Amino acid sequence: PGALNIDGISQLELQRSVEGTYPELTGEYTLTSGTVEIGQTGDSAVVSPATYYNLTLDGTKAYDISGISTISNNLNMSDTAVLNDNDVLTINGTFTYSSYGYTALQDDISAYGIVINHGTLDDGGNNITIAGAGGWTLNSGSFNPSGQTIFAPPVPLAPSIGGRRPTTFYDLVVNNPGYNVTLNVSPAAATKVNAYLELDAGNIVTDSNNILLMQDTATVVNGSAASYVSGPMIKEGNTDFVFPIG
C-alpha cells in the first residue's frame, strides 16, 4: 500500500485532473513537518485521512476533507479551490483562505487564527472557534455568518479582530478569561454583530474608530464585571438595549 513520511522542510506536490483520493498511498502517514500540496484541476478530490502538518489545497475544484480531524499546523487554500465536505476539524495553526471560490463549511472548525484574503467563506451555521492569538483577519473577499464565532483560546491569549476589511458576525462569543479581544481593523471601521454578542469571560476592546456596532435586532447575552466592552459601541434601531460597557 505504501507509507508516507515527511519531515523537515520537505514538500509533496500533487497535480491531479481526475476524480480520486489523494495522496494515493494507503499505508501509514507520518507527517511531523513539511507540506502536502494538492492541485486538483478536473472533478473533485477526496483528501486521504491523516494528520497533516501543513496542507495546501489549490487548483480549480472541490475537496472532501471529511476524513481529517486534525491539521498540526496550517491549512491553506488558493486559486479557486473550495471545500465540499468537512467533519469537525482542529487546525493547530492558521487557516488561510486565499481561494477566489465559495466554501460553505459543513461542520465546526477550530483554528489558532483565521485569515480570509479572497473569495467567500460561509460558516454554514456552524461554529468557528479562534483558539489562539492568531485571531481573525479579513483582508478581502467576504465572510457569510449564520453560526457562532467563538474566541476561546485553551490558554489565556490576546487575539484581535482585524484586517483591511471590517467583519460582520452573526453570533460573536468571547470566552477568554483575564484577556482581551481587540478590534484592530485598518483602515479603521466598525465591526458588526447582527444577532448575539455573548460575553462569557474577557473583554472586547474598542476605540472611537474601531468601534463595535450592534445591528438593529442584536442582543447581548451574559456580560459582567469580568466580561464587557471596554470602549465605545453603537446600537442601531429603537429597541431597548443595555450597553455592556466597562
Side-chain angles (χ1 to χ4, degrees):
L4 178 60
N5 299 287
I6 299 178
D7 57 18
I9 59 172
S10 302
Q11 182 162 326
L12 173 65
E13 297 185 24
L14 303 173
Q15 296 291 325
R16 297 292 184 265
S17 59
V18 296
E19 182 178 4
T21 299
Y22 306 112
E24 293 93 332
L25 299 170
T26 58
E28 182 178 357
Y29 284 34
T30 304
L31 309 171
T32 57
S33 59
T35 301
V36 173
E37 179 178 351
I38 306 173
Q40 186 73 9
T41 59
D43 218 330
S44 60
V46 176
V47 182
S48 293
T51 299
Y52 293 87
Y53 186 75
N54 291 312
L55 178 62
T56 297
L57 304 176
D58 52 32
T60 59
K61 300 299 179 181
Y63 292 87
D64 177 347
I65 62 170
S66 59
I68 302 172
S69 61
T70 302
I71 295 174
S72 300
N73 199 35
N74 299 324
L75 172 62
N76 299 293
M77 299 188 65
S78 59
D79 295 336
T80 56
V82 298
L83 299 179
N84 62 10
D85 200 6
N86 69 282
D87 282 346
V88 175
L89 176 63
T90 297
I91 304 163
N92 291 328
T94 301
F95 177 21
T96 301
Y97 194 80
S98 297
S99 168
Y100 286 89
Y102 176 96
T103 286
L105 297 177
Q106 302 300 306
D107 213 324
D108 298 344
I109 68 168
S110 173
Y112 183 85
I114 303 282
V115 178
I116 302 173
N117 289 325
H118 300 294
T120 299
L121 181 65
D122 188 324
D123 66 18
N126 299 291
N127 294 342
I128 297 177
T129 298
I130 306 301
W136 178 276
T137 303
L138 177 61
N139 287 320
S140 188
S142 60
F143 173 58
N144 288 358
S146 56
Q148 291 188 324
T149 305
I150 306 166
F151 285 78
V155 296
L157 295 166
S160 65
I161 297 172
R164 295 190 295 272
R165 286 189 177 179
T167 301
T168 297
F169 297 99
Y170 180 77
D171 187 350
L172 178 61
V173 180
V174 177
N175 188 9
N176 191 24
Y179 280 74
N180 300 323
V181 175
T182 300
L183 303 189
N184 191 30
V185 180
S186 181
T191 295
K192 299 179 182 180
V193 175
N194 64 21
Y196 302 98
L197 172 64
E198 183 174 332
L199 296 169
D200 296 329
N203 302 329
I204 297 180
V205 176
T206 71
D207 60 39
S208 58
N209 296 310
N210 267 293
I211 202 163
L212 181 65
L213 190 154
M214 304 289 289
Q215 296 189 299
D216 188 14
T217 58
T219 60
V220 175
V221 178
N222 300 327
S224 67
S227 189
Y228 54 85
V229 177
S230 178
M233 64 183 296
I234 297 172
K235 172 64 169 65
E236 294 180 331
N238 299 315
T239 55
D240 292 341
F241 185 79
V242 177
F243 287 82
I245 295 175

